[in-house]
Amino acid sequence: MKYDFSHSISRRGFFAAAAGAAVSCSLRPARASTEDERRIKVGPGQALLNGADGPSTAVWTYSGTTPGPTLRLRQGQPVRITVENGLDEDTAVHWHGIRLPNAMDGVPDLTQRPIGPGENFVYEFTPPDAGTFWYHSHADSLVQIGRGLAGPLIVEEREPVAADRDLLWLLQDWRLTSDGQIAGGFGSMMDASMSGRVGNAVTINGAAPADLSVTAGERVRLRLANACLARMVALRFEGHRPVIVAVDGQPCDPHEPEDGRLVLAPAMRIDIMLDMQGGPGSRHAVVDDFYDGLVYALTTLAYDKAPPLRHHLLDAPRRLPANPLPAPDLAKAERHEIVLQGGMMGGGKLAGVGGMMGMAMPGMNGAAAWAINGMSMTGDGDAGMAPQFTLKRGVTCHLTVRNETAWWHPMHVHGFSLSVLSRNGLPVPHRQWQDTVLLAPKDTIECAFVADNPGDWMLHCHVADHQMAGLMTVFRVT
Ligand code: C2O
Ligand code: CU
Ligand code: CU
């Protein structure tokens, strides 16, 4: 059954229908009085991905740049963002990690009509949570994100957080040809059924990484966001002890990462507090060692010669103020299970998936290479697929995600942050809430959330190739 948008010409009408007009909901878009107006124009442009002296690269941009402009919003303040489509193809913008009304979620055909060439769409929402988020295309995602359609979104805390500087690194990974242009061949069977389109050039905030100049003694709040299609990173700050204060935008108990590595799969964010404990003039590499045999220095912390800003660590709490997340009621929870299946096994064979639909030529020409609970939903969503499960509004969902495949998958849930309970039977410490949870091969994780937001919501792997090739599903909150 396809969604009929003809009765929902106005977005508000659509949302009101979804939410039930009588219910007063804190997530409802503001009525007339939104003062915070933004505009984003989607269109082609050029970027210096090859360094200042290299050839420029033809990319797709939000308002002229990739990543797009940093949207700084305020917690609890309504915003209205007009997106103008200057591309020759449909698009839609997804506000990744923001808990917002379903009709504003930016999934073509599932939550809105795609924005056609030359058309506009007005997104209206009130971000309930402060933190580090991002926005990206959810139409033809593999190609549109891969050509540059992503940008950072910061929701500011109501009270400023103690740090000397607030910086953001949005990582993107590009597959460039020898003349510095974006390589074609999106969605090849190899990429689709294995680790996805990992590129050959990593940029920070859209540029080939240069040194980060720092001053001894300062505390930097550094927001790390992985906007790559497929590349995972594990960052080590040599000579430093970063403290994780938020994961996927949501504050956690401040803690140092295990082995000092900050692991970020596509779509994940980590906020750290980084005390600059090196000496004036010293240099310290930031190393990415996620892939065996592919260790490289991403960038360098370059201390200036200035005397230390302070001689002891900044004496201010690192803990961020809590966000208003509804507490899951585990005693009364409804249980659901998601099993990830498919992909290449050893020897170039695709794993057989019992009952997988449309598996004539797995991984070829947009056909399925993966499945969730035996079903493959390919592309960017199709309104025809029945929801995997349905939740009554307000219930706690206890979700088990089991990875039966031989590959890593950052599994992302739209519309909700999940309280991560355990991984492979071991409790996950530090009270972590995530919208994107990374599963290693054969991992099982348990998480919980309150289904307080009605609508049909996406749940998919954020390795774009995997999503397009079947690792995606939908669940419904009534
Ligand atoms: Cu950032 Cu459906 O994803
Ligand atoms: Cu999302
Ligand atoms: Cu995946």
Side-chain angles (χ1 to χ4, degrees):
M1 188 192 63
K2 215 157 160 63
Y3 271 84
D4 175 14
F5 287 96
S6 57
H7 64 280
S8 63
I9 298 307
S10 106
R11 302 171 316 281
R12 286 180 181 143
F14 184 47
F15 177 67
V23 187
S24 124
C25 170
S26 61
L27 298 170
R28 162 177 301 183
R31 291 281 151 171
S33 67
T34 308
E35 286 155 41
D36 194 357
E37 295 266 0
R38 318 281 176 114
R39 260 194 123 68
I40 293 178
K41 167 119 197 208
V42 191
Q46 296 283 323
L48 294 173
L49 309 178
N50 301 287
D53 310 321
S56 73
T57 305
V59 293
W60 288 351
T61 74
Y62 287 131
S63 299
T65 61
T66 181
T70 301
L71 291 177
R72 274 193 172 263
L73 309 181
R74 263 158 308 155
Q75 185 175 17
Q77 289 253 12
V79 64
R80 184 183 289 139
I81 306 167
T82 303
V83 174
E84 268 177 76
N85 184 6
L87 294 174
D88 293 331
E89 62 178 75
D90 288 353
T91 196
V93 181
H94 173 58
W95 317 95
H96 183 117
I98 305 274
R99 298 187 295 132
L100 41 58
N102 191 256
M104 299 292 118
D105 199 42
V107 181
D109 296 322
L110 187 70
T111 69
Q112 68 168 92
R113 243 185 329 232
I115 315 171
E119 287 179 6
N120 284 359
F121 188 90
V122 182
Y123 293 92
E124 278 180 287
F125 56 89
T126 302
D129 303 318
T132 305
F133 302 94
W134 66 301
Y135 59 100
H136 62 79
S137 167
H138 219 296
D140 197 8
S141 303
L142 173 64
V143 172
Q144 293 199 1
I145 300 173
R147 293 197 180 280
L149 293 182
L153 195 170
I154 292 172
V155 182
E156 290 172 351
E157 288 81 13
R158 290 194 170 90
E159 302 295 331
V161 165
D164 297 302
R165 283 195 287 167
D166 182 340
L167 302 179
L168 179 142
W169 288 357
L170 185 134
L171 305 178
Q172 287 161 295
D173 171 46
W174 312 86
R175 191 177 285 178
L176 300 176
T177 59
S178 53
D179 56 352
Q181 299 306 307
I182 294 175
F186 283 94
S188 76
M189 174 173 169
M190 263 266 282
D191 290 337
S193 59
M194 299 176 76
S195 39
R197 182 177 161 110
V198 175
N200 51 11
V202 177
T203 55
I204 298 180
N205 301 338
D211 292 355
L212 176 69
S213 158
V214 303
T215 299
E218 70 172 333
R219 176 175 291 173
V220 172
R221 176 186 187 166
L222 180 57
R223 304 165 187 266
L224 303 163
N226 184 341
C228 303
L229 292 175
R231 179 185 290 269
M232 311 195 186
V233 300
L235 302 183
R236 274 189 300 109
F237 287 73
E238 288 189 342
H240 291 74
R241 302 178 65 178
V243 175
I244 298 177
V245 294
V247 180
D248 288 351
Q250 301 295 356
C252 58
D253 296 334
H255 64 281
E256 289 186 35
E258 235 179 280
D259 336 319
R261 292 163 96 229
L262 299 159
V263 178
L264 290 138
M268 291 177 66
R269 292 88 63 211
I270 295 178
D271 286 36
I272 58 173
M273 291 292 182
L274 190 57
D275 285 305
M276 298 303 172
Q277 291 176 279
S282 65
R283 294 173 59 79
H284 304 264
V286 180
V287 173
D288 171 11
D289 65 3
F290 184 86
Y291 299 100
D292 283 341
L294 277 178
V295 180
Y296 67 103
L298 173 68
T299 182
T300 300
L301 303 181
Y303 281 72
D304 58 27
K305 301 268 163 52
L309 214 63
R310 56 178 68 83
H311 288 278
H312 301 285
L313 295 188
L314 177 62
D315 184 20
R318 295 189 182 86
R319 181 180 293 277
L320 300 173
N323 280 328
L325 290 159
D329 180 356
L330 289 176
K332 293 211 198 99
E334 213 179 282
R335 283 177 166 268
H336 292 279
E337 189 178 46
I338 291 284
V339 183
L340 316 181
Q341 302 154 318
M344 279 293 179
M345 305 301 287
K349 271 208 267 27
L350 265 153
V353 177
M356 194 191 246
M357 306 188 315
M359 256 199 61
M361 285 292 277
M364 294 288 283
N365 306 321
W370 307 90
I372 290 179
N373 296 355
M375 281 189 287
S376 302
M377 182 172 173
T378 57
D380 263 288
D382 83 65
M385 190 164 145
Q388 188 72 239
F389 55 87
T390 297
L391 300 166
K392 269 218 196 74
R393 186 174 184 184
V395 305
T396 291
C397 175
H398 181 151
L399 187 64
T400 303
V401 187
R402 213 146 51 74
N403 180 7
E404 285 187 345
T405 79
W407 302 89
W408 294 74
H409 304 290
M411 296 304 297
H412 169 51
V413 173
H414 284 220
F416 301 89
S417 283
L418 314 179
S419 165
V420 186
L421 305 172
S422 73
R423 181 181 295 272
N424 302 326
L426 299 173
V428 171
H430 316 303
R431 279 180 274 208
Q432 300 195 40
W433 293 77
Q434 295 178 226
D435 58 58
T436 307
V437 184
L438 179 61
L439 285 95
K442 310 300 177 195
D443 265 6
T444 297
I445 63 125
E446 312 254 355
C447 47
F449 65 99
V450 177
D452 59 349
N453 198 355
D456 281 0
W457 300 100
M458 286 290 227
L459 190 169
H460 61 85
C461 177
H462 224 291
V463 170
D465 284 285
H466 294 179
Q467 175 206 316
M468 302 307 273
L471 213 43
M472 173 162 62
T473 191
V474 165
F475 66 98
R476 177 171 294 167
V477 178
T478 55

